[in-house]
Amino acid sequence: MSPLLSLKGVDKSFGALKVADQITFDLPAGQALGIIGPNGAGKSTLFNLIGGALTPTAGTVQFDGRDVTALPASARCHLGAARSFQIPHPFVGMTVFENLLVASSFGNAGHRDQRAACKEILERTGLIHRANRPAGTLTLLERKRLELSRALATGPRLLMLDEIAGGLTEGECLALVDTIKAIRDSGVTIIWIEHIVHALLAVVERLIVIDFGKIVAEGDPKAVMADPLVQEIYMGISVDDAAA
Amino acid sequence: MQAKTIFPIAAFATGFVALSVAPFWADRADLRLLMEGLSYLALAQMWNLLAGYTGLVSVGQQAFVGLGGYLFFALAMFAGLPVIPGLIGAAVLTALIALPTGWIAFRLNGAYFAIGTWVIAEVFRLFAAQIGSLGGGSGISLPVTVARSLGEGREAREMTMYYIAFVIGAVSVGAVWALLRSRWGLALTAIRDSEIAAETVGVDTRRVKFLIYILTAGFTGLTGAFIFLQKLRITPDAAFSVNDWTAFVIFIVVIGGVGTIEGPIIGTILFFALRQVAADWGTWYLMLMGAIAIAVMLVDKRGLWGALRSRLGLSAFVTERRL
Ligand SMILES: Nc1ncnc2c1ncn2[C@@H]1O[C@H](COP(=O)(O)OP(=O)(O)O)[C@@H](O)[C@H]1O
Ligand SMILES: [Mg+2]
């Protein structure tokens, strides 16, 4: 079976700054992949390249066996690629429910009952009590949850989450991990960029480390974390401390 | 329903009813003013839909006002079309001409798009001045037979004319409202708030923006056709005036409130109130307008309606979908 997502030799430069350097990996359907790396390493850029917000300088992005390198983000969303933004981009003048309704009306959701689907997602992500509030009135943490909810409302096959656990209390973090596990168990393929490594390791079965736009380590999460090179990137301090 | 919606709805409904029977209470001068106001309302609704929702800041809407006007004159004079089919024909042709101009303008981003739309309008102005059969640079008058066909006697003609303006103004508001309540409205409002996020959740933003560009061009063309039907005379400078058909329209939308349906309505009323008071002041009047627009941007860039809505929670043309 061909992988759901496949990147081959993907490069991206901003002027002289190379933020993606020969990124190559396959992601089988159903897998949960974690991505870590220092700030500015090029992690969010990778989501922009996979999601279609940016086009690579070189290389190809394949989704479900199809070359999507030249497709705009909306077309990739229709195929089932969804992402959250690290810095939330809510539709501030619309209610939380309407934010999801846009995603379910235009995403990959098909003909299911959109109201019911949005309601169910809001219940799952704990935003249901805010459903009829303008998204502009949400707190930062709620906005992050809206990013997750809106991505889910598109009906994704691949869900890309960009640092959604930062700032949560321990209890909230555990609840989030449970939510993401449930999404994974429902068959959605996941890529999760996260600094809160213990949360990440509770969900993902594979880890990629990025530094200066390059994949510097990849594989089983425990083995990758034990890699001296990875330790060195984090300069000996535990990753959770580094994120704090 | 709460007072927050009842009061504004009652106010707008009263205005609508009053306008719908205006020929029975307004004198000739008032009617002319109202027709002009309704035309500006339509232009403002269209500019707001384009710039306020899709972020396409056009400073070249005079291209479509002028095209609508000229095409209407041409259809009436050379094809012998009656007034109503002529107006509709002018609108459709303007929308068709907007296909290639949009294709050019959409290659430009941000400020370049704005400049591009203005250059396109200038090209049309220069082109209109070259067409001898439409009077070239000095313009042309509409044959009296066209105006006569609107009714027996001056009063009947003015009544017909007024109701054309009323329909254009009312449809501009009603159509935008209906659009915003539809699935398209979800996409447009999302693009207004964050284009990148709208694209990411599956909205084909390029397509939506292009279609809105064409749609607003067509309706702006219709309004332009009516404006010059009312004036009975068209010249390239009047038809493609950036001041009259874009600057004033932007002023209306900015002071009323960009990105709302109510904003252009409030803005039109404010603009005409200001003009009645200050139009004799010459250049000072234009400077006052500029100063007001700048003050609005500094105090609350959401405009009068935007400020009222966020402070008092007012709304009249409700588009919100509730769970
Ligand atoms: N649109 C852009 N233009 C120029 N530089 C950018 C742009 N987007 C990101 N960068 C730069 O690319 C680098 C990688 O950014 P990013 O992918 O956000 O890193 P990470 O998510 O790993 O923290 C940073 O140095 C950032 O400043
Ligand atoms: Mg990032």
Side-chain angles (χ1 to χ4, degrees):
Chain A
M1 209 180 80
S2 71
L4 182 65
L5 178 72
S6 175
L7 274 72
K8 288 191 179 70
V10 170
D11 283 347
K12 181 71 193 178
S13 301
F14 294 115
L17 183 70
K18 200 155 201 184
V19 288
D21 192 351
Q22 287 296 306
I23 300 275
T24 299
F25 69 86
D26 284 348
L27 183 63
Q31 197 173 69
L33 167 70
I35 295 182
I36 60 170
N39 283 326
K43 305 181 298 297
S44 298
T45 301
L46 192 56
F47 276 8
N48 288 333
L49 292 165
I50 299 170
L54 293 174
T55 29
T57 324
T60 59
V61 179
Q62 284 190 359
F63 189 81
D64 201 17
R66 185 171 159 190
D67 188 341
V68 297
T69 318
L71 288 187
S74 53
R76 301 192 200 192
C77 174
H78 299 155
L79 294 174
R83 57 98 48 108
S84 75
F85 288 98
Q86 181 179 352
I87 298 161
H89 288 280
F91 304 129
V92 289
M94 307 176 90
T95 66
V96 167
F97 168 61
E98 287 176 311
N99 269 258
L100 269 68
L101 207 53
V102 176
S104 73
S105 305
F106 290 91
N108 174 42
H111 294 294
R112 63 183 190 192
D113 179 350
Q114 288 168 354
R115 288 184 77 86
C118 293
K119 183 161 180 256
E120 193 213 305
I121 290 169
L122 289 173
E123 276 161 358
R124 249 202 298 172
T125 57
L127 270 182
I128 190 74
H129 63 296
R130 292 277 184 266
N132 292 318
R133 286 282 205 90
T137 65
L138 298 185
T139 65
L140 176 62
L141 287 184
E142 288 171 332
R143 285 172 188 228
K144 285 192 181 184
R145 254 187 277 174
L146 178 57
E147 283 290 328
L148 167 64
S149 312
R150 202 172 55 185
L152 281 175
T154 64
R157 298 164 66 199
L158 169 67
L159 178 63
M160 294 176 272
L161 301 171
D162 197 348
E163 300 195 24
I164 58 167
L168 296 181
T169 65
E170 195 52 40
E172 289 166 337
C173 197
L174 286 174
L176 178 70
V177 164
D178 285 341
T179 307
I180 297 174
K181 275 182 177 165
I183 295 165
R184 179 197 64 190
D185 294 342
S186 73
V188 177
T189 310
I190 290 175
I191 310 181
W192 187 7
I193 295 172
E194 192 53 74
H195 279 307
I196 318 290
V197 171
H198 70 84
L200 189 65
L201 296 190
V203 175
V204 303
E205 53 210 277
R206 184 174 151 211
L207 196 60
I208 283 181
V209 184
I210 294 183
D211 197 15
F212 295 108
K214 278 199 184 74
I215 295 181
V216 292
E218 175 179 7
D220 172 72
K222 295 248 152 47
V224 167
M225 289 312 292
D227 184 334
L229 187 70
V230 175
Q231 299 279 331
E232 194 187 319
I233 286 172
Y234 285 95
M235 290 184 296
I237 38 173
S238 96
V239 182
D240 281 343
D241 292 346
Chain B
M1 265 204 287
Q2 308 155 307
K4 287 173 192 171
T5 49
I6 289 176
F7 176 71
I9 287 174
F12 285 114
T14 308
F16 177 80
V17 172
L19 286 173
S20 70
V21 295
F24 305 98
W25 57 262
D27 65 23
R28 269 191 88 194
D30 288 343
L31 268 190
R32 288 199 84 73
L33 195 63
L34 287 175
M35 282 190 246
E36 205 189 340
L38 288 161
S39 305
Y40 266 102
L41 173 61
L43 294 180
Q45 285 293 351
M46 292 306 121
W47 190 82
N48 181 47
L49 188 59
L50 185 66
Y53 283 88
T54 71
L56 293 167
V57 178
S58 164
V59 294
Q61 292 308 91
Q62 67 275 16
F64 306 125
V65 173
L67 275 173
Y70 268 103
L71 287 165
F72 173 73
F73 273 49
L75 289 173
M77 290 163 62
F78 307 138
L81 280 192
V83 169
I84 301 292
L87 290 172
I88 293 168
V92 171
L93 290 175
T94 304
L96 288 177
I97 294 173
L99 289 170
T101 70
W103 187 83
I104 297 167
F106 272 64
R107 248 126 266 273
L108 307 167
N109 281 323
Y112 295 100
F113 174 85
I115 294 165
T117 58
W118 179 73
V119 170
I120 289 166
E122 281 302 286
V123 170
F124 282 124
R125 184 176 66 83
L126 296 170
F127 183 69
Q130 299 306 311
I131 304 176
S133 55
L134 284 168
S138 49
I140 199 162
S141 294
L142 197 64
V144 272
T145 48
V146 178
R148 287 238 174 87
S149 74
L150 284 172
E152 285 290 320
R154 199 189 72 201
E155 223 159 89
R157 287 200 286 276
E158 280 173 354
M159 174 100 96
T160 310
M161 198 85 102
Y162 176 79
Y163 279 107
I164 297 174
F166 177 73
V167 168
I168 289 175
V171 168
S172 76
V173 177
V176 170
W177 193 19
L179 186 72
L180 290 177
R181 289 174 67 91
S182 74
R183 184 168 173 275
W184 276 76
L186 277 175
L188 280 168
T189 315
I191 292 172
R192 176 195 70 185
D193 289 350
S194 170
E195 188 172 337
I196 171 84
E199 176 74 30
T200 299
V201 298
V203 178
D204 186 344
T205 54
R206 271 191 77 84
R207 187 164 146 259
V208 171
K209 288 163 75 174
F210 193 77
L211 287 168
I212 291 299
Y213 175 86
I214 302 298
L215 184 84
T216 54
F219 206 89
T220 301
L222 173 70
T223 312
F226 170 75
I227 288 170
F228 288 97
L229 164 65
Q230 197 201 346
K231 290 187 188 296
L232 298 174
R233 181 169 175 78
I234 194 164
T235 65
D237 289 346
F240 297 97
S241 161
V242 63
N243 252 339
D244 289 346
W245 314 129
T246 296
F248 291 163
V249 170
I250 295 178
F251 175 77
I252 286 172
V253 177
V254 167
I255 59 169
V258 90
T260 65
I261 298 177
E262 296 88 345
I265 302 176
I266 308 267
T268 304
I269 296 168
L270 289 174
F271 172 68
F272 277 82
L274 182 69
R275 211 179 69 171
Q276 290 306 99
V277 175
D280 301 336
W281 302 358
T283 316
W284 287 106
Y285 158 60
L286 293 175
M287 287 169 70
L288 176 67
M289 266 182 43
I292 290 175
I294 291 168
V296 167
M297 300 302 268
L298 290 176
V299 175
D300 193 330
K301 58 183 188 305
R302 291 166 301 187
L304 186 60
W305 182 262
L308 285 176
R309 190 177 60 166
S310 72
R311 304 239 158 84
L312 308 174
L314 298 184
S315 70
F317 295 89
V318 179
T319 56
E320 193 178 288
R321 301 143 184 92
R322 297 184 74 83
L323 186 65

